[in-house]
Amino acid sequence: MSVKGMADILPEESWKWEKIRSLFLENARRFGYKLIETPIVEHADLFIRGIGDGTDIVDKQMYLFNDKKGKHLALRPEGTASAVRSFVEHKYNSELLHKWCYFGPMYRYERPQKGRMRQFHQAGIEAFGVDDPALDAEQIILARELLVGSFGIESVKILLNSIGCPACRPGWQVALVDYFRRYDRELCDNCRRRLDINPLRILDCKVQRCSEIAKDAPAGRNYLCGSCSAHHNKLKQYLSDMNIVFEDDPMLVRGLDYYTKTVFEITTDKLGSQSALIAGGRYNDLVKSLGGKDSPATGWAMGIERIFLLSDIKNASEKTVYFIALDEPSKIVLFKLFASAAKRRNCRFDYKGGSLKSQLRRANGAGAQICAIMGENERIADTLLIKDMKNKTQKLIKIDEFGETL
Ligand code: ATP
Ligand code: MG
């Protein structure tokens, strides 16, 4: 048995996985995002500092272990902290715009359900060096284009908010603490703890009573400073100009601490409580807090398992040619033809042999469109029988015409 919450991607379905990956990379590349690969294992401290105490990921979901020298390591639970670590480590110039993307496995210890795994995969983009709300808009446009345009997922909803910056968020936090203190006894244990360390988190609590109370909490919108408020308004303008429909949701916060200004989520109603397909936002302080120069940044991550469940992409496979030999000397001639044709096109050789009938049955099973058949008669005449499996037609051709026939 595989480890709970960790699944195989079987050969019958891996084409879809590959297709999602390549559509993601293709679209990201068109917007200028270059692929970065970082290790799956990092120092645990990176995530604790980056994602923050009091978040579900750091408090409950990390896969932690010590290596043989006692180094405290973690399987990465998300991609942004690693990207920032790499950005800082390799001293990228924070005055310039850098656009990166990634695709790979992430690990979180949570209760497995449809669309929620312990090993899951994220595709993500990050951009460093620019605070312009037009860049936030670009990333939301790319996210939407992928979901709707590339993966054919209809009826997605974009939720948007600004959670302010270190200049204005404290005002909101004080107001939240004041508000939630009144419900002290009714909040879950977690949220009561959050009151002291991270009151914004309460807005994201999935416990029913907590989310009921949170509905009437003071909206962060009223506490935004001039700069955050202007940023948010411009972002909304850019999106409206592109006819992108979104919902301005003043209670939206994210499960990670590093966000500033823009946060957003793109959701679906087709996967129960696993409704978020893409989530992200701006994290202008993370680079500095992980030891780099002050550098604004923004990004998002998409859950590939959820895309996999919902996407209707088709497998446009190329034609398969199936090689059938009816005796041993023909097999030797035909195998040479197969081995050279397979360098250029989709070919299968029937190694099991046997009667024509049984080989044709296997050709059907393999989804072959064309069979190239050789028995004693064909071999002696330097010919091949080409059978079109769909039209049920067949013709005899000379071996040296084989290349053109295909
Ligand atoms: P959720 O609210 O569903 O737990 P999240 O807020 O923890 O999501 P992020 O950390 O922002 O999610 O990750 C971005 C995306 O990664 C999510 O929108 C989702 O599509 C996907 N994702 C997150 N956790 C999992 C998981 N355990 N299994 C599969 N996909 C996941
Ligand atoms: Mg989560």
Side-chain angles (χ1 to χ4, degrees):
M1 286 290 276
S2 70
V3 174
K4 185 175 175 190
M6 308 204 179
D8 300 316
I9 300 159
L10 295 172
E12 291 72 26
E13 57 190 20
S14 58
W15 65 266
K16 189 168 176 185
W17 194 267
E18 280 296 291
K19 184 111 201 203
I20 292 172
R21 185 175 189 274
S22 65
L23 284 167
F24 163 71
L25 291 175
E26 229 171 78
N27 279 276
R29 185 171 40 80
R30 246 186 275 126
F31 278 80
Y33 294 85
K34 292 184 188 154
L35 181 67
I36 174 167
E37 297 274 3
T38 60
I40 286 166
V41 175
E42 297 272 0
H43 293 288
D45 186 51
L46 171 68
F47 301 113
I48 298 168
R49 285 199 295 151
I51 299 167
D53 271 332
T55 59
D56 278 356
I57 296 180
V58 166
D59 288 0
K60 297 189 281 198
Q61 300 177 344
M62 284 235 275
Y63 278 87
L64 298 165
F65 62 100
N66 291 333
D67 72 4
K68 287 188 196 297
K69 283 258 170 72
K71 283 208 179 76
H72 196 36
L73 304 177
L75 300 186
R76 61 182 186 194
E78 57 103 45
T80 301
S82 308
V84 171
R85 195 260 313 132
S86 180
F87 184 82
V88 173
E89 183 170 335
H90 299 286
K91 300 189 172 61
Y92 281 89
N93 182 348
S94 55
E95 305 285 306
L96 306 174
L97 173 62
H98 305 270
K99 291 168 136 188
W100 295 359
C101 65
Y102 61 85
F103 186 107
M106 306 292 162
Y107 301 84
R108 295 183 195 174
Y109 196 85
E110 48 186 333
R111 196 164 69 78
Q113 295 158 65
K114 193 176 176 192
R116 184 176 301 283
M117 301 294 290
R118 291 180 174 174
Q119 174 181 280
F120 63 101
H121 296 72
Q122 284 182 339
I125 60 169
E126 317 286 359
F128 300 99
V130 169
D131 190 37
D132 190 333
L135 181 59
D136 308 36
E138 172 195 289
Q139 295 196 331
I140 292 173
I141 290 165
L142 171 55
R144 192 185 174 283
E145 175 52 29
L146 275 164
L147 293 179
V148 180
S150 296
F151 304 138
I153 303 174
E154 298 294 336
S155 71
V156 295
K157 197 155 85 178
I158 302 177
L159 303 173
L160 189 65
N161 192 20
S162 172
I163 59 166
C165 68
C168 55
R169 198 179 310 145
W172 183 28
Q173 276 169 326
V174 168
L176 285 174
V177 172
D178 276 353
Y179 172 82
F180 283 119
R181 283 244 183 274
R182 288 193 258 146
Y183 299 91
D184 211 352
R185 298 233 176 80
E186 295 172 60
L187 295 173
C188 72
D189 290 349
N190 257 336
C191 283
R192 224 171 294 137
R193 217 163 53 82
R194 287 168 175 147
L195 256 178
D196 296 317
I197 50 173
N198 202 337
L200 252 70
R201 288 269 69 72
I202 304 175
L203 298 177
D204 201 27
C205 184
K206 305 286 190 295
V207 175
Q208 199 192 343
R209 184 60 190 140
C210 296
S211 56
E212 281 166 16
I213 296 171
K215 275 202 186 83
D216 294 320
R221 207 60 57 70
N222 305 329
Y223 296 85
L224 293 185
C225 61
S227 146
C228 287
S229 172
H231 189 99
H232 190 58
N233 289 334
K234 280 188 198 146
L235 168 57
K236 288 193 288 186
Q237 188 62 52
Y238 282 119
L239 293 176
S240 304
D241 288 350
M242 288 299 293
N243 296 321
I244 297 210
V245 180
F246 58 87
E247 204 173 288
D248 204 5
D249 175 357
M251 291 301 167
L252 181 72
V253 292
R254 305 279 321 119
L256 305 91
D257 262 2
Y258 49 60
Y259 289 107
T260 51
K261 296 185 181 172
T262 309
V263 292
F264 76 94
E265 236 176 57
I266 308 188
T267 61
T268 168
D269 55 9
K270 304 227 156 52
L271 280 177
S273 56
Q274 279 58 258
S275 61
L277 297 176
I278 293 186
R282 190 162 268 292
Y283 51 95
N284 285 351
D285 299 323
L286 186 61
V287 177
K288 193 167 180 198
S289 80
L290 291 178
K293 288 210 181 104
D294 217 352
S295 169
T298 174
W300 53 245
M302 166 165 83
I304 301 302
E305 278 72 10
R306 297 180 192 180
I307 303 296
F308 192 88
L309 287 168
L310 294 178
S311 172
D312 70 347
I313 48 179
K314 301 279 179 307
N315 190 9
S317 63
E318 55 174 316
K319 254 192 208 168
T320 300
V321 187
Y322 199 92
F323 291 75
I324 295 175
L326 298 176
D327 59 15
E328 199 51 33
S330 300
K331 182 175 175 184
I332 290 166
V333 179
L334 195 68
F335 183 79
K336 272 168 62 181
L337 282 175
F338 156 75
S340 64
K343 290 177 198 160
R344 284 179 301 280
R345 44 178 314 144
N346 204 358
C347 295
R348 306 280 181 280
F349 193 86
D350 194 307
Y351 295 103
K352 282 191 172 284
S355 69
L356 178 59
K357 199 172 156 205
S358 59
Q359 297 200 55
L360 282 173
R361 198 175 325 114
R362 281 195 291 272
N364 253 326
Q369 283 86 0
I370 294 173
C371 288
I373 304 162
M374 184 182 278
E376 190 180 6
N377 293 342
E378 288 82 13
R379 173 165 42 82
I380 288 168
D382 285 331
T383 57
L384 273 175
L385 188 66
I386 300 293
K387 190 174 170 76
D388 185 315
M389 301 293 277
K390 195 165 154 226
N391 306 333
K392 309 276 180 229
T393 56
Q394 55 184 46
K395 61 180 176 188
L396 209 56
I397 60 159
K398 284 280 180 197
I399 286 184
D400 34 4
E401 292 164 9
F402 181 53
E404 306 146 38
T405 312
L406 291 182

